[in-house]
Amino acid sequence: MKIYKIPTDLRAFIFDIDSTLYTNQAYAFEQVDCQVRQFAKERGITADEARRMVADYRKKFAAEHEGSKVSLGNTLLAFGVPIEQSVQWRRELLEPADFLGRDEQLIETLKNLQSKYQLICVTNNPVLPARKTLEAIGISDFFPEIVGLDTCLKSKPAVEPFQTAVDWLSKSSEAGVKAENCLAIGDRYDMDIKLPLEMGMGGILVSGVEEVYQISNYVL
């Protein structure tokens, strides 16, 4: 865990989902690879060729952007796959319940956080598979709203998904919530933390759900 900043007037958490609210390498790999395989099928190339294309593009992007990572959605967009198509593939191909199960320790953690703070998810997956993921883990009730890839048709680290989350939190709170009242939690600095910090939010980088369990120790 790396704590970059915790707001002095903390009112809300903005959670990433994948590899943040669960740790499952098989599913983390499959939800990327199933889309790469679908891209290969559409292009009439082998899965290995498609994997190399994605890996080469990401390597080139990092070299040209001071080591920053690029999302799969934006990678496929560079290959001519519209975000809308990425959304549809993910809706059809992702089945988190095949990989994930109920997490009692996370449920208890979020129950404690929800007693004091608002919670929302911002993910680069569409809302449908994101909601299925939360349901598989047993935490869907803690998140009345999800900002997904199909909400703004923008992939993190675009500003629109994060700003949409802040706007929803503000409208849902009697006291109002601004960016400086929010704490972003995620497993990828470039996607989940860097931009929120620039927007004035707090940020905590985690390596998986095991570190999410510990967050209550710092904010409650």
Side-chain angles (χ1 to χ4, degrees):
M1 179 189 297
K2 184 169 182 179
I3 299 174
Y4 287 89
K5 175 185 173 184
I6 296 178
T8 54
D9 184 14
L10 178 59
R11 303 182 191 178
F13 280 78
I14 297 178
F15 279 97
D16 173 53
I17 296 178
D18 298 296
S19 296
T20 296
L21 293 176
Y22 66 84
T23 303
N24 187 302
Q25 292 184 348
Y27 183 50
F29 173 81
E30 175 60 18
Q31 66 172 297
V32 170
D33 201 60
C34 69
Q35 297 173 71
V36 175
R37 297 194 304 268
Q38 185 64 31
F39 170 69
K41 182 179 178 181
E42 300 266 339
R43 282 290 180 94
I45 60 178
T46 68
D48 282 342
E49 287 174 322
R51 292 184 187 110
R52 281 194 295 271
M53 287 175 65
V54 169
D56 288 348
Y57 179 83
R58 286 178 152 174
K59 183 177 179 180
K60 182 173 182 289
F61 183 94
E64 294 174 350
H65 295 83
E66 300 180 341
S68 294
K69 296 179 181 179
V70 60
S71 70
L72 181 62
N74 285 336
T75 299
L76 293 175
L77 183 63
F79 295 143
V81 179
I83 291 293
E84 293 86 348
Q85 184 62 71
S86 291
V87 167
Q88 190 59 35
W89 285 352
R90 296 176 198 221
R91 286 173 176 164
E92 294 173 355
L93 298 173
L94 299 183
E95 291 297 341
D98 291 344
F99 296 86
L100 306 175
R102 187 175 176 87
D103 186 337
E104 297 295 345
Q105 190 169 352
L106 181 60
I107 291 169
E108 189 63 26
T109 298
L110 294 178
K111 186 183 297 182
N112 291 334
L113 292 178
Q114 191 188 50
S115 69
K116 188 174 180 181
Y117 306 107
Q118 290 181 272
L119 309 179
I120 191 171
C121 286
V122 175
T123 175
N124 275 348
N125 270 325
V127 172
L128 176 61
R131 182 60 71 184
K132 287 182 177 180
T133 298
L134 299 185
E135 289 171 351
I137 304 169
I139 60 172
S140 184
D141 289 346
F142 296 112
F143 296 98
E145 183 69 9
I146 298 171
V147 178
L149 184 59
D150 46 348
T151 304
C152 306
L153 294 178
K154 293 281 187 177
S155 184
K156 292 187 293 184
V159 69
E160 288 88 346
F162 291 108
Q163 188 58 54
T164 298
V166 173
D167 292 344
W168 184 86
L169 290 165
S170 180
K171 292 175 183 176
S172 302
S173 168
E174 292 182 5
V177 171
K178 298 179 180 178
E180 55 263 36
N181 304 126
C182 298
L183 179 55
I185 310 291
D187 69 299
R188 296 178 296 177
Y189 177 79
D190 295 329
M191 303 293 167
D192 305 316
I193 308 298
K194 184 175 184 290
L195 183 60
L197 290 174
E198 293 173 357
M199 294 172 67
M201 301 184 202
I204 297 180
L205 182 69
V206 298
S207 61
V209 71
E210 295 81 7
E211 293 184 346
V212 175
Y213 300 151
Q214 304 170 28
I215 288 174
S216 298
N217 298 333
Y218 300 95
V219 299
L220 292 177

